[in-house]
């Protein structure tokens, strides 16, 4: 039952992430434009260049604020990561070498044969 819930959670998180993929890309682009506009503003020496980079930076910043609902996609990606790690942890629990009855049998058989 636990694996079924994990699979269901992975499917829902993947759908939410894919639905928010375009806003995530737009957010990344606008943040990059804001960053480069800031760098251009800092490096600009003339007043006109500072005004240009300031306007570009403000427009890109406002655009990035409008893409903040893309944070839902980032949260879905994080949940997807956590569920994937949970899935891998559950798989490793079942394949543990210490819990394998055949390994324990072989070890016990070797110890019995040492005494004889």
């Amino acid at each position: 039952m636990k694996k079924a819930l994990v699979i269901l959670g992975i499917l829902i998180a993947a759908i939410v992430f894919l639905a928010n993929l375009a806003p995530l890309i737009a957010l990344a682009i606008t943040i990059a434009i804001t960053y480069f506009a800031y760098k251009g503003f800092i490096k600009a020496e003339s007043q006109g260049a500072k005004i240009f980079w300031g306007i570009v930076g403000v427009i890109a910043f406002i655009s990035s604020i409008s893409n903040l609902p893309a944070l839902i996609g980032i949260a879905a990606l994080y949940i997807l990561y956590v569920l994937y790690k949970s899935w891998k942890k559950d798989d490793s629990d079942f394949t543990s070498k210490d819990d394998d009855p055949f390994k324990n049998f072989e070890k016990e058989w070797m110890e019995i044969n040492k005494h004889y």
Side-chain angles (χ1 to χ4, degrees):
M1 184 68 181
K2 184 177 179 184
K3 283 214 178 239
L5 290 176
V6 171
I7 290 173
L8 183 63
I10 288 172
L11 287 174
I12 291 171
I15 290 170
V16 169
F17 173 71
L18 290 175
N20 288 309
L21 192 58
L24 280 170
I25 293 170
L27 179 65
I29 291 170
T30 56
I31 287 175
I33 292 171
T34 304
Y35 173 75
F36 288 119
Y38 173 75
K39 287 292 192 181
F41 182 81
I42 296 298
K43 290 181 182 179
E45 295 180 12
S46 68
Q47 191 69 21
K50 285 195 180 272
I51 291 172
F52 171 75
W53 286 117
I55 291 171
V56 169
V58 168
I59 291 171
F61 181 71
I62 291 171
S63 296
S64 65
I65 289 175
S66 70
N67 284 322
L68 281 183
L71 293 177
I72 295 171
I74 294 172
L77 184 63
Y78 176 73
I79 291 170
L80 193 62
Y81 172 75
V82 169
L83 289 175
Y84 177 74
K85 290 295 245 181
S86 171
W87 176 271
K88 286 295 184 182
K89 181 181 173 189
D90 288 344
D91 283 346
S92 67
D93 287 345
F94 292 117
T95 60
S96 177
K97 293 179 182 176
D98 296 334
D99 295 337
D100 188 13
F102 296 107
K103 290 281 185 183
N104 288 334
F105 175 76
E106 290 174 1
K107 188 189 319 180
E108 292 294 325
W109 187 257
M110 294 288 284
E111 287 182 25
I112 290 173
N113 285 335
K114 284 182 184 178
H115 296 293
Y116 295 110

